Amino acid sequence: MNKSGGRQWFWLVTFCIVGILSIGRVRSGSIVAAQSSASTASTGPAFTGDELLESYRHVEVASVSDALEQLTGRRMYMSHKMQPIFPAKFAGFALTVKLAKDEGNKDPEALSGMLAAIDEGSAKSVWVMVVEDGADIAGMGGLMGTTMSARGYAGAVIDGGVRDVGHLRKIGFPVYATGIVPSTSVRHYRFAGANIPVQCDGVEVRPGDIVAADADGVVVIPRAKAAEVLAVAQEMDFKEHSMYSIIEKYKSIREAVKRFGRL
């Protein structure tokens, strides 16, 4: 073979090799991009904490409760005993506190940990307090509520009583509690911990979980499931709100359920 022919074969082979490598890189890049897209699709959109709370403020608690049951198989709503002192709707991150019974104690520092927890709580928190056997004990009142309001808390949920409701209504600070009573926790209870897992009216609440409330009651959304639950609840809301006009038009709930599959 002459030198000219050899050079031609050299460049032909080189061209083929470069082409094959280039195709491999393109295909590899496409696979990585596809995997990245699939990963994003499977995990859903990423939300900041503020975005999650804003969205939960605009979805109905009943839909959130249904979504939680569908996705977790658990009851994550509080019972009928948990009632608001005035109509309210809020969502925030749980700041959990527990009070333990300590009848007749004269320790001036017995509740100091509770006060510190209030002062250290951040804006958009929901004060979730469990008062041991506290149906007839006010876990919080006007002083605590005023502090929470000033610090930008979203609201409070008390497995126990609440007092000073006239003042709390006046300042517009929303509280859900199992009763309204005039009693005090001073000399009857001791601070037993903050930012710990608690059972509030039978529902597990962990620090940082989302607590949402409206006229239908209170639900607790585990933080790790918050985005997934939100997406399902929003879809449920959309279907239910779309069904109203169908029901009014056809005067039939069966027709609406057949169209949207929501009840």
Side-chain angles (χ1 to χ4, degrees):
M1 181 181 293
N2 60 37
K3 292 183 178 180
S4 175
R7 283 194 297 269
Q8 289 175 348
W9 276 105
F10 172 79
W11 288 114
L12 179 61
V13 171
T14 301
F15 176 78
C16 290
I17 292 172
V18 171
I20 291 169
L21 292 175
S22 297
I23 291 171
R25 283 194 296 269
V26 170
R27 287 183 176 175
S28 176
S30 299
I31 291 171
V32 170
Q35 289 173 337
S36 177
S37 298
S39 175
T40 300
S42 65
T43 58
F47 288 96
T48 67
D50 286 348
E51 288 170 340
L52 273 175
L53 292 187
E54 184 61 25
S55 296
Y56 271 107
R57 292 188 192 106
H58 291 88
V59 69
E60 294 182 10
V61 161
S63 293
V64 177
S65 178
D66 288 356
L68 281 162
E69 184 174 348
Q70 177 179 309
L71 293 172
T72 70
R74 298 165 61 196
R75 171 202 153 189
M76 298 300 291
Y77 62 88
M78 297 187 190
S79 77
H80 65 280
K81 295 181 293 183
M82 191 64 71
Q83 293 290 318
I85 61 171
F86 60 81
K89 183 174 179 64
F90 61 78
F93 297 116
L95 192 172
T96 59
V97 177
K98 185 175 182 179
L99 296 187
K101 237 177 190 181
D102 188 9
E103 286 289 356
N105 81 79
K106 298 181 180 180
D107 180 3
E109 301 298 320
L111 297 175
S112 61
M114 176 186 73
L115 305 183
I118 296 174
D119 282 355
E120 292 166 8
S122 59
K124 300 171 187 170
S125 295
V126 174
W127 180 263
V128 179
M129 170 177 271
V130 176
V131 184
E132 182 185 6
D133 296 330
D136 292 316
I137 294 292
M140 69 169 286
L143 298 177
M144 293 169 62
T146 299
T147 309
M148 294 175 197
S149 179
R151 294 189 64 83
Y153 282 51
V157 176
I158 313 297
D159 190 351
V162 61
R163 70 179 190 177
D164 302 329
V165 294
H167 178 74
L168 294 171
R169 289 168 179 159
K170 179 181 177 181
I171 65 174
F173 185 71
V175 178
Y176 280 71
T178 57
I180 297 173
V181 289
S183 57
T184 179
S185 60
V186 177
R187 291 184 295 278
H188 300 288
Y189 282 83
R190 179 178 296 278
F191 172 72
N195 284 315
I196 57 174
V198 297
Q199 289 282 330
C200 186
D201 192 29
V203 180
E204 182 182 31
V205 188
R206 292 180 174 274
D209 283 349
I210 293 178
V211 180
D214 68 11
D216 288 331
V218 181
V219 291
V220 179
I221 306 99
R223 185 66 180 271
K225 287 278 188 182
E228 186 181 5
V229 170
L230 176 63
V232 175
Q234 287 174 327
E235 182 182 4
M236 289 178 171
D237 262 8
F238 174 78
K239 287 182 177 180
E240 184 160 327
H241 296 166
S242 299
M243 290 169 72
Y244 294 140
S245 60
I246 299 298
I247 292 172
E248 290 170 351
K249 179 178 180 180
Y250 294 98
K251 299 178 176 60
S252 168
I253 189 171
R254 288 183 297 174
E255 179 64 27
V257 171
K258 182 174 71 176
R259 292 187 182 214
F260 291 94
R262 167 81 170 135
L263 182 60

